[in-house]
Amino acid sequence: MPSLPPIGAEIPCSMLGINTPLKIRTSLVNVDFRGGIKHRIDVNPHDPVDSVRMRTVGFRISADLPAPEEGGAAGRITIEQDDVDVDAKSLLRMTQKYPPRFENIWVLPFKMTIEQPGVGDNPLVLTTKDPAKLIGKLTQYPPRGDMYQLQNPVDLIDLEDPDTVVATLQKLPVKIGGL
């Protein structure tokens, strides 16, 4: 019978987000993110029987920016874990025992680095205004190529000008695990 993963387990998953819409200032690009995420399973003190907390211990996906004209890549976008996940907010919850159903909510604050050769020398480094929430409905855990979706678009800001949204990750339809 499928059950929750054991406390202390570290679970790596691959991630693939094809045709992801990203608005950078005034332009909209669609990019393909590839990478992975790793969680450590913790006790959920609020519901220790039917759920576990998940602490992110590694997260990184990246994509090539399309070139303005034909030719090579115009740059690279990297999304990665911003800081140590000290207060695990991500959750895996069993919603039904027979047949097994799970809801997986990943709460991910992250930083995004946009490198565009020829557009300034320094990469643009942004951070989430509010953490991204990726939600998946699963029949088993770890996921095996299951689709996750963002709960809401994610606004990204420059810490030197936190009132201005520089980029928005509009959607992140991502297949997780089993790739």
Side-chain angles (χ1 to χ4, degrees):
M1 177 185 106
S3 61
L4 295 167
I7 303 304
E10 287 197 1
I11 299 170
C13 293
S14 56
M15 299 178 76
L16 179 63
I18 299 294
N19 209 17
T20 302
L22 174 66
K23 186 176 181 197
I24 305 170
R25 294 190 178 93
T26 57
S27 60
L28 181 64
V29 293
N30 286 306
V31 295
D32 297 343
F33 281 107
R34 288 177 171 77
I37 192 164
K38 184 169 162 182
H39 285 100
R40 182 177 303 126
I41 305 303
D42 286 349
V43 171
N44 180 7
H46 306 295
D47 182 13
V49 175
D50 290 323
S51 68
V52 290
R53 291 252 176 234
M54 304 175 78
R55 183 179 309 272
T56 305
V57 293
F59 170 51
R60 182 183 170 102
I61 56 176
S62 59
D64 289 328
L65 269 171
E69 280 84 43
E70 292 302 312
R76 189 145 186 86
I77 300 171
T78 304
I79 292 176
E80 57 194 330
Q81 187 170 350
D82 198 10
D83 207 349
V84 176
D85 187 0
V86 290
D87 178 24
K89 290 187 171 35
S90 299
L91 190 67
L92 176 66
R93 193 166 58 93
M94 186 175 270
T95 56
Q96 179 180 307
K97 291 202 186 303
Y98 304 105
R101 299 250 183 262
F102 299 91
E103 180 180 55
N104 195 188
I105 302 169
W106 287 349
V107 180
L108 300 169
F110 60 79
K111 85 177 175 197
M112 176 185 284
T113 305
I114 302 171
E115 299 168 83
Q116 291 180 284
V119 184
D121 293 332
N122 297 328
L124 181 61
V125 179
L126 306 173
T127 188
T128 51
K129 193 170 184 175
D130 295 304
K133 280 191 181 165
L134 269 177
I135 300 175
K137 307 282 188 199
L138 313 172
T139 56
Q140 80 282 318
Y141 190 87
R144 294 189 193 114
D146 293 282
M147 206 63 176
Y148 283 62
Q149 300 283 349
L150 275 180
Q151 184 178 33
N152 297 305
V154 179
D155 289 335
L156 294 131
I157 55 172
D158 185 334
L159 286 177
E160 293 175 17
D161 182 12
D163 296 330
T164 304
V165 173
V166 179
T168 302
L169 190 59
Q170 295 181 328
K171 294 179 180 170
L172 183 57
V174 64
K175 273 189 180 179
I176 296 180
L179 305 174

